[in-house]
Amino acid sequence: MKARHLVWLRRISQGFFLLLFVYLLVESRLPQDVYLDYSAAVSGEVDLRLDRPVTFFFKLDPLVGISSLLSGHRFIPGMLWGVGVLLLTLLLGRVFCGFICPFGTLHHMVSWIRPSLKGNRRVQANRKTPGQRIKYFVLILLLAGAVLGLNVSGWMDPIAFLFRSLALAVVPGIGTGLRAVFDAMAGSDIKLIKQLSYGAEVFVAPVFGYSVKAFQTGWVIGLLFLVVLFLNRIRPRFWCRTLCPLGALLGVFSRFSLLKLEKYQDRCTRCNACEGQCQGAAAPKPGNRWETAECLVCFNCFAVCPEDALDFKVRLSPAGGKAPDIGRRAVLSGLLVGISLPFLGRLDGKIHTVADPRLIRPPGSLPESEFLTLCQRCGLCMRVCPTNVINPTLGEAGMAGFWTPRLIMTHGYCEYTCTLCGSVCPTGAIREMTAKEKIQTPVKIGSAYLDRGRCLPWSGNAPCIVCEEHCPTSPKAIYLVDDTVRGSDGRSMQVRLPYIDLKRCVGCGICENKCPVRGLPAIRTIAAGESRSVKNQILL
């Protein structure tokens, strides 16, 4: 196959998988037909499930499977897809990076659009540097931590990083901006502009949501995403060359690749065109030893060479290619930090003692120590949640649980019959269950309590029964008792005082979310009483 055909094949593949990734991200939400008939969907008669393979790219990612196996000692569903990627790497090198990885494609595009480095500066930037060993340091760090029971690979895994960035920062940010524009158009006195705003919202809402979505630390996630993209202005595909742990893993396997770069030094005119277009700084120039572990199989060097001094061929060779340039310091420092992280993560005591009362995990979550061995911090459960209640943690779970999911009831509430978060979790940190199992067991994620000083009836400020009206359990966990209280003016007031039956409360948080006392609601939900923890039970 000619060089230009290979380049176009790579571009088509990159475009297809990037669009597929974005499509699956958009589809990681409550289906539109269910949204339009929401009352029927939450009846519990039919389990809410997505009919799209939204976890496809996580199954393709061998780092997700390996880190889950090392930390949680279990094979996650679909892990064989990742094994297939490793086998493909043994045959063709880092073809996943060059042809499939959507994050790599994004970096490729940013590096190509108005490149800041041109001519000799670009050639110099595309030569290998010691900094490319950093990705091996990151890989060893993550794997060493996983062996000791702390799985933080999702912090740097490219699929998790990209999904988290788009789902929790980019998409909500664009949605908020578009909604502000449509609201301004809807307030116009010009009828045509007003009608255009309504029409545009019909098409935009299914992608960006029907309401404003906000996520804790979303701005940090978005800022990191922009910084990583900006680094491509310093070095093309900076992330892939220097930081990506999945690229480092595939680089180790690519040493035995059957795809070889043949160099014909007698034809080379030293024009440096191959180095100027090399995406991985893999030393394609004749006279230099090809860096197999760094090559992204983009075929740019092959296509741009004017003298046909380069050629890719599949050859059976008894000896492997050049070993990855990992470096002793990267190995030792990676092991040191990787071993230290699990111990540092336990110093706050939030794994083995009673958790922070604000740390309410999604329904079906494993016990905390097991949960942290499998959670990828990918944001899939947060994206799919129809009420926006699932958010990334900040300090509630300590360092070991940073960016893992928690429920913030002022943002939303856990729909009584919804089990979408467990159905999309790629590693089983949130187990899959049916709506019937969730209701009948019941699965408790916490308990509600009353702040009588802020409660309108209890404080004598006004009658209110909002929390009891919204309580979804049957019989209701919130019940009312008729009583008389004295108001601030000294007059008696007939009210119905709310009480909570902790045996029936499942901690869904709808009472907190709907409480008319805003800011700090008069009824709040804490993690105490959650089903997943023996230590965090309320003894009645």
Side-chain angles (χ1 to χ4, degrees):
M1 188 178 290
K2 294 183 178 180
R4 67 174 183 274
H5 295 159
L6 289 171
V7 170
W8 276 106
L9 180 63
R10 186 255 300 162
R11 289 172 179 170
I12 293 170
S13 176
Q14 285 180 303
F16 169 78
F17 283 106
L18 179 60
L19 291 175
L20 179 62
F21 184 89
V22 173
Y23 171 73
L24 293 178
L25 182 142
V26 171
E27 290 297 309
S28 303
R29 53 160 169 74
L30 192 69
Q32 189 174 7
D33 56 339
V34 176
Y35 184 89
L36 296 175
D37 192 13
Y38 196 60
S39 59
V42 298
S43 63
E45 298 177 0
V46 179
D47 291 321
L48 294 178
R49 292 290 184 270
L50 302 185
D51 56 0
R52 303 289 189 274
V54 296
T55 60
F56 173 70
F57 282 92
F58 293 94
K59 292 177 181 178
L60 276 182
D61 189 339
L63 183 58
V64 172
I66 292 174
S67 61
S68 300
L69 180 63
L70 292 176
S71 59
H73 309 296
R74 66 171 67 182
F75 289 92
I76 63 172
M79 186 176 175
L80 290 179
W81 283 95
V83 174
V85 169
L86 293 180
L87 293 176
L88 185 64
T89 305
L90 289 175
L91 294 174
L92 301 175
R94 290 175 60 180
V95 69
F96 179 87
C97 303
F99 278 68
I100 300 174
C101 180
F103 204 23
T105 299
L106 201 58
H107 289 294
H108 198 150
M109 291 170 58
V110 174
S111 301
W112 177 74
I113 299 172
R114 292 181 61 83
S116 58
L117 301 174
K118 298 179 181 179
N120 289 331
R121 292 179 60 198
R122 187 173 182 86
V123 172
Q124 292 294 330
N126 282 347
R127 288 175 177 164
K128 188 181 175 185
T129 64
Q132 292 179 228
R133 296 174 179 171
I134 295 175
K135 61 180 176 290
Y136 296 103
F137 159 77
V138 175
L139 174 65
I140 295 169
L141 180 162
L142 297 178
L143 295 183
V147 169
L148 295 178
L150 180 59
N151 187 358
V152 293
S153 61
W155 287 352
M156 294 293 288
D157 178 82
I159 302 300
F161 192 106
L162 179 59
F163 192 96
R164 181 174 60 242
S165 299
L166 295 183
L168 307 188
V170 176
V171 171
I174 295 175
T176 300
L178 290 175
R179 189 165 286 104
V181 172
F182 294 152
D183 288 345
M185 292 172 64
S188 173
D189 294 331
I190 303 175
K191 185 177 180 180
L192 177 61
I193 294 178
K194 185 177 295 188
Q195 290 176 338
L196 284 174
S197 72
Y198 297 148
E201 192 165 359
V202 170
F203 292 100
V204 170
V207 177
F208 297 101
Y210 293 89
S211 59
V212 175
K213 287 224 170 188
F215 294 94
Q216 181 176 252
T217 73
W219 69 273
V220 177
I221 294 169
L223 182 61
L224 287 174
F225 180 66
L226 293 177
V227 168
V228 167
L229 290 184
F230 176 78
L231 290 175
N232 291 294
R233 310 296 292 175
I234 301 174
R235 289 284 188 279
R237 291 191 74 156
F238 186 96
W239 167 275
C240 309
R241 296 183 188 183
T242 310
L243 300 175
C244 183
L246 178 57
L249 176 65
L250 298 178
V252 172
F253 279 80
S254 67
R255 178 185 180 184
F256 307 99
S257 168
L258 302 182
L259 186 67
K260 311 292 185 183
L261 177 62
E262 299 288 341
K263 301 183 180 183
Y264 305 100
Q265 192 167 352
D266 56 325
R267 302 179 189 175
C268 181
T269 59
R270 304 294 186 270
C271 67
N272 294 327
C274 55
E275 287 191 328
Q277 294 298 320
C278 180
Q279 287 289 314
K285 184 178 176 180
N288 299 330
R289 189 172 181 186
W290 181 45
E291 299 284 348
T292 315
E294 304 297 331
C295 179
L296 304 179
V297 199
C298 65
F299 298 118
N300 280 351
C301 60
F302 180 31
V304 78
C305 182
E307 307 297 335
D308 294 328
L310 300 172
D311 194 8
F312 279 91
K313 293 183 179 181
V314 175
R315 291 188 182 278
L316 293 174
S317 175
K322 184 179 180 182
D325 182 17
I326 300 178
R328 185 185 305 173
R329 292 182 180 178
V331 174
L332 294 178
S333 56
L335 285 173
L336 178 62
V337 178
I339 292 172
S340 301
L341 275 181
F343 293 104
L344 293 174
R346 294 184 178 96
L347 291 179
D348 51 26
K350 293 187 177 182
I351 296 179
H352 299 296
T353 60
V354 175
D356 189 309
R358 300 169 296 168
L359 186 61
I360 303 173
R361 295 295 193 189
S365 296
L366 299 178
E368 189 67 8
S369 58
E370 296 179 43
F371 183 83
L372 294 179
T373 65
L374 291 175
C375 179
Q376 288 291 319
R377 286 94 166 155
C378 61
L380 246 174
C381 57
M382 306 172 203
R383 166 67 184 172
V384 80
C385 180
T387 65
N388 192 205
V389 68
I390 307 180
N391 277 252
T393 58
L394 184 56
E396 302 87 352
M399 184 276 287
F402 186 66
W403 276 347
T404 54
R406 64 163 287 217
L407 277 64
I408 302 179
M409 303 308 184
T410 51
H411 284 204
Y413 58 92
C414 183
E415 184 59 62
Y416 190 48
T417 61
C418 179
T419 57
L420 281 174
C421 53
S423 69
V424 301
C425 181
T427 61
I430 307 172
R431 66 180 181 87
E432 188 172 358
M433 60 184 172
T434 64
K436 186 176 181 180
E437 179 186 357
K438 181 184 178 184
I439 296 170
Q440 292 184 356
T441 305
V443 175
K444 297 186 176 186
I445 57 176
S447 303
Y449 75 96
L450 272 165
D451 183 346
R452 294 186 178 182
R454 296 180 64 81
C455 180
L456 297 178
W458 276 103
S459 61
N461 282 291
C464 177
I465 61 170
V466 170
C467 56
E468 189 271 345
E469 286 181 324
H470 284 89
C471 182
T473 64
S474 181
K476 287 181 178 289
I478 299 177
Y479 60 95
L480 304 172
V481 175
D482 294 328
D483 204 343
T484 302
V485 297
R486 190 175 298 278
S488 58
D489 56 1
R491 295 182 181 181
S492 297
M493 182 189 308
Q494 295 296 320
V495 295
R496 306 185 71 188
L497 299 177
Y499 288 82
I500 300 170
D501 186 343
L502 292 177
K503 294 180 180 178
R504 296 173 182 169
C505 180
V506 296
C508 69
I510 192 172
C511 53
E512 179 178 350
N513 184 259
K514 302 300 182 182
C515 179
V517 181
R518 311 311 294 172
L520 185 64
I523 186 168
R524 299 192 283 277
T525 311
I526 57 174
E530 57 181 346
S531 301
R532 71 187 186 115
S533 173
V534 176
K535 297 179 181 179
N536 205 15
Q537 294 297 308
I538 299 176
L539 301 179
L540 299 173

